[in-house]
Amino acid sequence: KKFDFPYNSVHWPIMSPKMLSVLKSIGDFPCLEIPITILDDTVPSLKLFNNLGEPNKEYAFEHYTAIQLISYLDAFDWERSVYQRSKYTPTLAGQITKLVLKAVPDGFPPIFRLSAYPTLLFISSEARVALEKIGITGVSYRAISDYP
């Protein structure tokens, strides 16, 4: 409950209502919003659930949302980036040693993934400034110029 963007072992983008609201205020990004409950895994199972098998409210954080971006941005600069093609899916970039993005006509959405490398999650510079301004916690920022 201390974080707006909690780390999770499956790398899902999970965020607080405050973080989601800030991103939406900056611009549109097509996504599915999936309400989730996070359970405190430091609590023994017998305390974590009541007699009916439902999570005890004091150990369940229900205000988070996982987002699933439903489209990818075609902004990977294939000519200026340094990478190897994926050996499993040759239409994707595999190991990247220099990441360069192309400008997109309407600007970058607040949060996005690349069609050429869909595992990374990006935010626009405008989104970063807005998130830092209100003190969003749990996010680890990395500049594209610092990649990898």
Side-chain angles (χ1 to χ4, degrees):
K1 62 184 173 184
K2 295 178 185 178
F3 297 106
D4 294 294
F5 192 74
Y7 168 80
N8 61 88
S9 60
V10 291
H11 305 289
W12 291 351
I14 296 172
M15 54 192 73
S16 69
K18 179 170 69 168
M19 181 174 178
L20 186 56
S21 174
V22 168
L23 292 173
K24 286 180 171 183
S25 73
I26 294 168
D28 292 328
F29 50 97
C31 72
L32 296 175
E33 294 180 26
I34 305 148
I36 63 167
T37 299
I38 298 176
L39 301 176
D40 185 343
D41 66 352
T42 64
V43 175
S45 304
L46 294 175
K47 285 186 175 183
L48 199 54
F49 299 96
N50 65 21
N51 296 355
L52 301 173
E54 299 165 335
N56 282 322
K57 296 290 184 193
E58 66 182 296
Y59 305 120
F61 311 106
E62 298 177 334
H63 66 283
Y64 287 96
T65 301
I67 64 163
Q68 179 183 7
L69 297 172
I70 56 175
S71 67
Y72 299 103
L73 201 60
D74 183 21
F76 184 80
D77 191 325
W78 292 96
E79 286 76 39
R80 295 175 45 216
S81 295
V82 178
Y83 59 93
Q84 293 177 356
R85 293 249 181 205
S86 167
K87 60 183 170 181
Y88 303 108
T89 311
T91 57
L92 299 178
Q95 187 175 7
I96 299 174
T97 53
K98 179 183 176 187
L99 176 60
V100 179
L101 298 184
K102 299 182 292 188
V104 292
D106 298 326
F108 292 104
I111 188 168
F112 61 96
R113 292 189 190 272
L114 297 174
S115 55
Y117 198 77
T119 56
L120 287 180
L121 185 64
F122 294 86
I123 60 169
S124 67
S125 57
E126 185 181 7
R128 180 178 178 167
V129 168
L131 294 173
E132 287 177 333
K133 184 177 180 179
I134 66 164
I136 290 296
T137 56
V139 177
S140 176
Y141 301 103
R142 189 170 167 187
I144 289 177
S145 59
D146 295 338
Y147 194 83

